[in-house]
C-alpha cells in the first residue's frame, strides 16, 4: 500500500463504458469517485451561463482559465448506479444540462485549453482521500495521478460507443440521433487525442481493454480481477 490513499485510474474515450466501470468500482470498494469529465462539462456550462460563445473560432483562454479556477461545484452522491451524482453549479442543480451531448462537445473544447486544465488540477487531486479513489477521465493515469495503483484504459469502436451513448441519452436528451452522436464522438475523439494539452492516450503501464465485443459484465469481471490482483 502506498502512503497516499490508493487510486484506481479509469481512462478512455467517450462511451467506452468507463463511467459504468468507475461507478461500480467505487461502490464495491466504497472508494470516492472523481468524474473528471463532469468538471470539464461544468466549465462549459458555466461559460455558457457567463455568455461566452464556445462555438467561436478562437476562445479567450485566460477568461476560461479563471472561470475554471473559480468554479463553485458540488458533487452529491445519489446511491443510484444509473445516475450516481447530482451536479451543482453555484448551488443550482445542472445535472441534466451537464449530461447532454452538447455539454460534452463544449467540454471537449474547453478541455483543450492548458489553463483550464491547470485550474482543475488541484481540485481533481483533492478527491484523493482514504479509503481510496476511483478517478474517471482521459488523463487520470497519465497526468493527474501518474502514481495510480491501478490504471485501466477502456476503449471500443466509435460505432459501438455511439450506440451505447444513444441508448443512454434517448430518454433524456430529446432530439438526439444515432447518426449525430456517431459524428460527434468521432469529432471529440479527434480533438481529445490530437490536442497538445494532456492528449487522450493510454499510460505506458495501463491495462488496455477493448470492450467492442464484450458485455459490461465481461468488462467488469476483467477489471475486478485486475484490481484484486494489484490492490487487495
Ligand atoms: O468523459 P466525458 O464525456 O464526460 O468528458 C467530456 C470531455 O471532457 C471530453 O470530450 C474530454 C474532456 N475531458 C478531458 O479532457 N480530461 C478528462 N480527464 C476528462 C474529460
Amino acid at each position: 500500500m502506498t502512503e497516499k490513499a490508493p487510486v484506481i485510474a479509469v481512462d478512455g474515450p467517450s462511451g467506452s463504458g468507463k463511467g459504468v466501470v468507475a461507478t461500480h468500482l467505487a461502490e464495491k470498494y466504497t472508494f470516492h469517485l472523481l468524474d473528471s469529465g463532469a468538471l470539464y462539462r461544468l466549465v462549459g456550462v458555466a461559460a455558457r451561463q457567463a455568455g461566452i460563445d464556445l462555438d467561436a473560432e478562437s476562445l479567450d483562454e485566460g477568461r476560461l482559465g479563471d472561470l475554471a479556477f473559480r468554479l463553485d461545484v458540488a458533487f452529491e452522491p445519489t446511491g443510484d448506479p444509473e445516475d450516481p451524482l447530482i451536479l451543482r453549479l453555484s448551488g443550482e442543480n445542472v445535472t441534466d444540462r451537464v449530461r447532454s451531448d452538447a455539454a460534452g462537445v463544449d467540454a471537449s473544447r474547453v478541455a483543450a485549453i492548458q489553463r483550464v486544465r491547470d485550474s482543475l488540477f488541484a481540485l481533481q487531486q483533492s478527491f484523493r482521500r482514504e479509503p481510496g479513489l476511483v478517478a474517471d477521465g482521459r488523463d487520470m493515469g497519465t497526468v493527474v495521478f501518474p502514481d495510480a495503483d491501478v490504471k485501466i484504459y477502456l476503449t471500443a469502436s466509435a460505432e459501438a460507443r455511439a450506440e451505447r451513448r444513444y441508448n443512454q441519452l434517448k430518454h433524456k436528451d430529446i432530439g438526439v440521433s444515432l447518426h449525430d452522436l456517431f459524428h460527434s464522438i468521432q469529432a471529440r475523439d479527434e480533438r481529445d487525442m490530437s490536442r497538445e494539452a494532456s492528449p487522450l492516450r493510454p499510460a505506458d503501464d495501463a491495462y488496455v481493454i477493448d470492450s467492442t465485443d464484450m458485455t459490461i459484465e465481461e468488462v467488469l469481471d476483467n477489471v475486478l480481477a485486475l484490481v484484486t490482483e494489484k490492490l487487495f
Side-chain angles (χ1 to χ4, degrees), residues 145-183:
F145 302 107
D147 61 341
D149 302 70
V150 188
K151 296 182 187 178
I152 295 156
Y153 186 90
L154 267 180
T155 187
S157 71
E159 288 83 358
R161 291 184 285 121
E163 219 164 288
R164 290 175 194 167
R165 287 292 287 156
Y166 179 69
N167 289 329
Q168 274 177 344
L169 285 176
K170 66 181 173 190
H171 303 298
K172 299 184 197 164
D173 196 351
I174 312 298
V176 75
S177 82
L178 182 58
H179 177 267
D180 290 349
L181 276 176
F182 177 71
H183 288 287

Side-chain angles (χ1 to χ4, degrees), residues 214-231:
M214 291 168 83
T215 62
I216 190 63
E217 287 76 20
E218 287 169 331
V219 174
L220 284 171
D221 283 350
N222 266 263
V223 167
L224 289 175
L226 182 75
V227 173
T228 305
E229 179 196 316
K230 294 251 188 185
L231 207 56

